[in-house]
Amino acid sequence: MNNKKSQVDWPVFGLSGGLLLVFVIAAAISMDAVTSFVNSSFALSVKWFGAFWQVLLLATFIIAIPLAFSRYGKVKLGKLDRPEFGTFKWISMIMCTLLAGGGVFWAAAEPMFHFTSPPPLFGGIQAGTDQAVNPALSQAFMHWGFLAWAILGTLSVVVMMYAHYHKGMPLKPRSLLYPIFGEKLMSKSALGTTLDAFSILAVVAGTIGPIGFLGLQASFGMKEILGIPDTFTTQLYIIIAVVTISAISAATGLHKGIEFLSNLNVVLAILLMATILFLGPGEFIVNAFISSFGMYLQDFIAMSTFRGNSEWLGWWTVFFWGWFLGYGPMMAIFISCISRGRTIREIITAVAVISPIVTCFWFTVLGGSGISFELLNPGSISGPLNEYGLPAAMISITKELPLSYIMGPAFLLLTILFVVTTSDSMAYTISAAVTGNNSPSVGMRIFWALMMGAVAAILLSIGNGGINALQSFIVVTAVPVSLILLPVCWLAPKVAVLLAKEQGIVEEKNLMEKVS
C-alpha cells in the first residue's frame, strides 16, 4: 500500500483549505467581528469541554503507561523487523515536532509568568520569592510534561499503526476509528471527510501560531541584538526564510531534510544547555529541577484535575490541552511514519516518559535561568516581559547570560530551527493525511508549508489581534478532534491484545480470558 501513487482526497482538501481561507478573509475584512466570534466560541469550548479534556489527557496517560510495561508492550508495530531510524534520530524527530511552540518561546516566558503570578492552586505563595520557584516550574511541567506528550503519540499511535500497516487503511485521522467502523469510514464518507478536515484545520492553526510567534520573537530579538527595526517587514522576511527552509525540508522527506534538521536542532539545544549549566546559574538550575519535579509528581493529580478558577484554566491549562489535542491525530500519523519496527513499549516510553522529562529539564534550564536572574535583580526579566510581552522573555534572559553576544544569536537560531522542524513535519503529515499515503507528492508538501507561512504573515499584517484570535481559534478547532481521541483509550488496549495473539506473545487461552 505504501508504494501506491498518492491520490488527493479533494473533499478533505477543499473543506480544510476552504475553512482556513474563510477565516483569513474574514479576519482581513473585520478583525473585530472575527475576534468576537472566536472569543465567544473559545469561552463555550472552555466551559463545556475543559473538564472533559482534563479527564481525557489524564486517562490517556494512566492507560498508556501500564500498557507499555505489561506483556502487551512487547508487541511490535508496523510489520517491520528492524526500525528504520536509529534511536537518537527517532527521538530527535519526535521531540522537535512538539517542542516548536514551547522549545524557546514558552520555556522562557511561562515559568516567569507563574513566578510573578503564582497559579491559583498555589494561591498562598508570595510572588517573586524563593517560595514561588517550585510552584512556577512545576506548573510549567504540568503543561508540557507527561499528559501533553501522552495525548500526542501513545495510544493513538498504536491504533494508527495497526490500521495502516497491519490492515491497509489510509494514513488519515479517520483511521483512528477503524476498529469501531471498519472500512465504512474509509471512502466517500461524510463523517470521515469531516474528521480528516477538522484534524487538518486544527494542526494548521496550531502550527501557524508558532510561526507567527516566531516572527514576533525573532524580530524583537534582532532589534535588541542587531538594531534592526522591529517592524512587520522584518517579521515578514523572517517568515519567508522559515517557510523556504520548511518547504525544502518537507520536500526532501523524512530521511533527508526532516531528519537532518531535527538532529541539528537537538545538538544545538544540548550545546546551549551545557553552556548555560557550566557558565550560568547551573547549581540553581539543578536544584530547582529536582525540587520542582518532585513537587510536580507530588501534586500531579491535584494539578491535573484542578477546576478552581475557570478564567485562569482557559488561558493556561485548557488552552494548552486544546492545542495539544489539535495536534493529536497528525502527531499519531507522523510518529507512525517514523516508528515502524518499534514495540509499543518503546514508543510509549520514548513519547510519554523520556520526552517529558527532557522537556521539563529544558524548561528549567531556560525558564529557571530567568527566575534565577529575577531573584538576583528584580525587574531584569519581568520588566521587559510585562512591557513587551512574550517575545521579550528569551532575549531578556540571554542578555543576563555570560557570552550574551553569542548566546542571543544562538538562541534566535534555535528558535527558528524549532519552528522549522515543526512546520516541515506538519506539512509532510498534512500531505499524508490528504493523500492517505506516507509518500505524498512533493508539490503537496510544498503547498502546505507555503500555505501555513502565508496565513501567518497575513495574520501578522493585521496586527497582534490576528495571532491572538488564532490562538483562541486553536482551542475551538480542538473540540471535534478531542472526540476522535476519546475512543482510542479503549481501542489501543484492544489492538494490543489482538496483535499479541498474532505475534505469539500471549496464548489463546490468556487472550480469551482477557477478552471475556
Side-chain angles (χ1 to χ4, degrees):
M1 164 160 184
N2 299 338
N3 295 324
K4 283 184 179 180
K5 184 179 179 180
S6 299
Q7 295 185 351
V8 177
D9 189 329
W10 290 110
V12 171
F13 181 79
L15 183 57
S16 57
L19 289 172
L20 182 63
L21 186 61
V22 168
F23 177 84
V24 173
I25 292 174
I29 294 173
S30 176
M31 191 65 245
D32 291 339
V34 169
T35 300
S36 176
F37 171 76
V38 169
N39 287 343
S40 298
S41 302
F42 173 85
L44 289 173
S45 301
V46 170
K47 179 179 179 180
W48 294 108
F49 288 89
F52 165 59
W53 290 350
Q54 287 179 265
V55 173
L56 176 57
L57 267 74
L58 184 59
T60 300
F61 179 72
I62 290 174
I63 294 169
I65 295 301
L67 179 64
F69 293 97
S70 70
R71 55 185 169 176
Y72 301 105
K74 298 177 183 178
V75 168
K76 186 171 288 190
L77 299 169
K79 286 193 170 182
L80 202 65
D81 291 334
R82 298 182 63 184
E84 293 181 279
F85 298 95
T87 301
F88 179 80
K89 294 179 179 178
W90 175 57
I91 294 180
S92 296
M93 286 191 284
I94 290 172
M95 291 205 64
C96 290
T97 301
L98 172 63
L99 272 178
V104 178
F105 198 88
W106 288 104
E110 185 180 355
M112 275 303 305
F113 264 107
H114 297 321
F115 178 68
T116 56
S117 180
L121 186 64
F122 305 99
I125 300 295
Q126 185 178 350
T129 64
D130 290 335
Q131 290 73 33
V133 175
N134 291 344
L137 287 169
S138 62
Q139 187 66 62
F141 295 169
M142 168 53 61
H143 292 153
W144 294 87
F146 297 123
L147 302 189
W149 282 96
I151 200 66
L152 287 165
T154 55
L155 302 181
S156 56
V157 171
V158 174
V159 177
M160 182 63 71
M161 294 187 76
Y162 169 74
H164 181 61
Y165 295 112
H166 297 263
K167 294 298 178 181
M169 296 300 104
L171 204 60
K172 297 183 176 184
R174 70 179 76 180
S175 292
L176 289 171
L177 300 181
Y178 167 75
I180 296 177
F181 294 100
E183 298 187 15
K184 295 177 183 178
L185 285 179
M186 296 309 128
S187 63
K188 296 181 179 179
S189 165
L191 177 58
T193 297
T194 303
L195 294 177
D196 290 349
F198 274 96
S199 295
I200 290 172
L201 189 63
V203 81
V204 167
T207 306
I208 291 170
I211 294 174
F213 295 150
L214 170 67
L216 296 171
Q217 186 178 45
S219 180
F220 180 85
M222 288 182 175
K223 183 194 77 172
E224 293 294 308
I225 296 172
L226 303 175
I228 298 174
D230 182 11
T231 63
F232 171 69
T233 302
T234 303
Q235 297 163 10
L236 182 61
Y237 283 138
I238 293 167
I239 289 177
I240 290 173
V242 168
V243 169
T244 301
I245 299 170
S246 299
I248 294 171
S249 178
T252 58
L254 290 175
H255 291 274
K256 294 182 180 178
I258 294 175
E259 179 183 350
F260 171 76
L261 285 176
S262 296
N263 291 339
L264 176 61
N265 207 342
V266 169
V267 170
L268 179 57
I270 291 173
L271 288 174
L272 289 175
M273 274 200 299
T275 302
I276 293 174
L277 286 171
F278 284 106
L279 299 181
E283 183 179 1
F284 178 89
I285 291 169
V286 172
N287 291 337
F289 173 71
I290 293 173
S291 56
S292 299
F293 199 79
M295 177 176 283
Y296 170 44
L297 295 178
Q298 176 182 318
D299 295 330
F300 182 75
I301 298 298
M303 285 193 287
S304 301
T305 58
F306 176 73
R307 298 291 303 161
N309 187 318
S310 58
E311 184 178 359
W312 184 91
L313 283 169
W315 287 110
W316 287 105
T317 305
V318 175
F319 162 70
F320 282 125
W321 283 184
W323 192 4
F324 300 144
L325 281 163
Y327 266 88
M330 291 301 161
M331 280 294 291
I333 292 174
F334 179 72
I335 295 177
S336 294
C337 288
I338 64 174
S339 300
R340 294 189 68 187
R342 298 281 177 181
T343 65
I344 290 176
R345 182 172 300 157
E346 287 177 306
I347 292 170
I348 292 178
T349 301
V351 174
V353 179
I354 296 174
S355 294
I357 293 174
V358 173
T359 301
C360 291
F361 186 69
W362 172 251
F363 265 63
T364 310
V365 171
L366 194 51
S369 293
I371 291 174
S372 174
F373 297 140
E374 182 70 15
L375 283 170
L376 291 173
N377 183 17
S380 59
I381 311 298
S382 61
L385 185 64
N386 292 331
E387 184 175 355
Y388 300 107
L390 291 172
M394 184 267 289
I395 295 300
S396 300
I397 293 171
T398 58
K399 280 184 174 181
E400 300 294 324
L401 288 168
L403 304 176
S404 60
Y405 59 93
I406 295 176
M407 298 298 285
F411 268 99
L412 274 179
L413 175 61
L414 182 66
T415 307
I416 293 170
L417 285 176
F418 265 127
V419 176
V420 167
T421 50
T422 285
S423 56
D424 64 7
S425 299
M426 289 302 102
Y428 168 86
T429 307
I430 293 167
S431 302
V434 170
T435 60
N437 193 287
N438 62 0
S439 298
S441 68
V442 172
M444 181 64 72
R445 300 179 220 170
I446 293 175
F447 168 80
W448 282 107
L450 295 177
M451 173 63 78
M452 289 187 287
V455 175
I458 292 170
L459 291 175
L460 277 178
S461 70
I462 297 171
N464 288 346
I467 294 297
N468 292 337
L470 178 66
Q471 187 170 334
S472 298
F473 187 56
I474 290 170
V475 174
V476 177
T477 59
V479 171
V481 176
S482 63
L483 300 177
I484 306 174
L485 295 173
L486 174 61
V488 170
C489 290
W490 61 84
L491 294 178
K494 179 181 177 181
V495 165
V497 170
L498 293 174
L499 291 178
K501 176 201 171 185
E502 290 181 12
Q503 297 178 14
I505 294 171
V506 297
E507 298 177 1
E508 182 71 21
K509 179 181 178 181
N510 291 335
L511 177 67
M512 294 308 295
E513 290 175 353
K514 180 73 177 179
V515 172
S516 62

